[in-house]
Amino acid sequence: MERIAIYPGSFDPFTLGHLSILRSALGLFDKIIIGIGYNHTKRGFLKVEKRLELILDIISEFEESNTKVEVCAYEGMTIDFCRNNNIKYIIRGLRTYTDFENELIVAQANTTLAPEIFTVFLPASSTHSFISSSIVRDVHINGGQTSELMPKGIDLKKYVDEK
Ligand code: ADP
């Protein structure tokens, strides 16, 4: 049976930290779906279509990989999306002890509601653990350079709707 995992998140925007978790997860699964979880009543920093576009630009590097990498956007609970799409694994990255405490609670709630779905935690790399989407947004909003925090070749300005 195909091992399908979702890597869910807001990805607002997708950063170098997200990419390093994705790279660590390659090879563990046959297919990884990067799932942009959104709520249509909440305005994010990047529009969902732009978050999708940015991730599509990045994952072209995995075209030759044995693990298929896809991206999609969804609303509602991750476990419902998993059940509707035959996904059995949820990937989450851990940066800090705080991440661990929060993630453990969500994973335990998910396991209670959907025991057939497993959460897989992957540790952040020491070089990327300080990176978060909110840091990237703050740097951008204050006119700083985000290139060191983003996947190679990604110019965040291209995806930002400045209105
Ligand atoms: P969410 O709002 O669901 O936490 P994020 O887009 O902020 O969405 O994060 C998605 C996932 O990526 C989470 O599991 C988060 O811990 C992980 N993550 C974010 N930044 C990093 C990083 N620098 N290193 C490792 N994992 C990260």
Side-chain angles (χ1 to χ4, degrees):
M1 209 175 59
E2 223 192 358
R3 280 173 174 257
I4 310 176
I6 185 168
Y7 179 28
S10 315
F11 303 119
D12 192 19
F14 193 95
T15 68
L16 198 51
H18 293 129
L19 184 60
S20 75
I21 291 291
L22 179 63
R23 287 203 173 116
S24 307
L26 285 180
L28 297 178
F29 304 100
D30 299 305
K31 179 153 100 177
I32 298 173
I33 300 169
I34 303 170
I36 305 171
Y38 73 98
N39 175 341
H40 76 274
T41 62
K42 288 193 190 150
R43 194 183 188 282
F45 166 65
L46 293 186
K47 288 183 176 162
V48 174
E49 309 87 78
K50 293 293 175 183
R51 288 183 230 174
L52 270 166
E53 196 181 312
L54 190 158
I55 294 170
L56 276 171
D57 288 345
I58 292 162
I59 63 176
S60 53
E61 81 169 81
F62 300 116
E63 267 161 21
E64 306 293 313
S65 161
N66 288 333
T67 301
K68 266 189 248 158
V69 181
E70 296 177 0
V71 59
C72 73
Y74 69 98
E75 272 198 281
M77 290 207 295
T78 303
I79 51 170
D80 289 336
F81 183 80
C82 289
R83 282 182 163 157
N84 294 333
N85 293 280
N86 197 29
I87 297 167
K88 293 281 182 279
Y89 303 92
I90 297 174
I91 300 166
R92 297 289 288 177
L94 296 179
R95 286 164 291 190
T96 57
Y97 192 69
T98 312
D99 265 358
F100 175 73
E101 279 193 317
N102 296 331
E103 295 293 339
L104 184 63
I105 288 167
V106 176
Q108 286 169 337
N110 283 339
T111 304
T112 303
L113 298 173
E116 77 283 14
I117 299 168
F118 297 89
T119 301
V120 177
F121 292 132
L122 293 173
S125 75
S126 56
T127 40
H128 299 124
S129 61
F130 71 96
I131 302 176
S132 66
S133 296
S134 65
I135 295 236
V136 171
R137 293 196 295 269
D138 284 350
V139 171
H140 174 81
I141 288 163
N142 290 294
Q145 274 289 341
T146 57
S147 51
E148 296 295 317
L149 310 171
M150 297 295 288
K152 206 160 181 250
I154 294 290
D155 180 3
L156 185 59
K157 291 198 232 46
K158 184 180 152 199
Y159 307 89
V160 180
D161 186 0
E162 295 290 2
K163 280 195 297 284

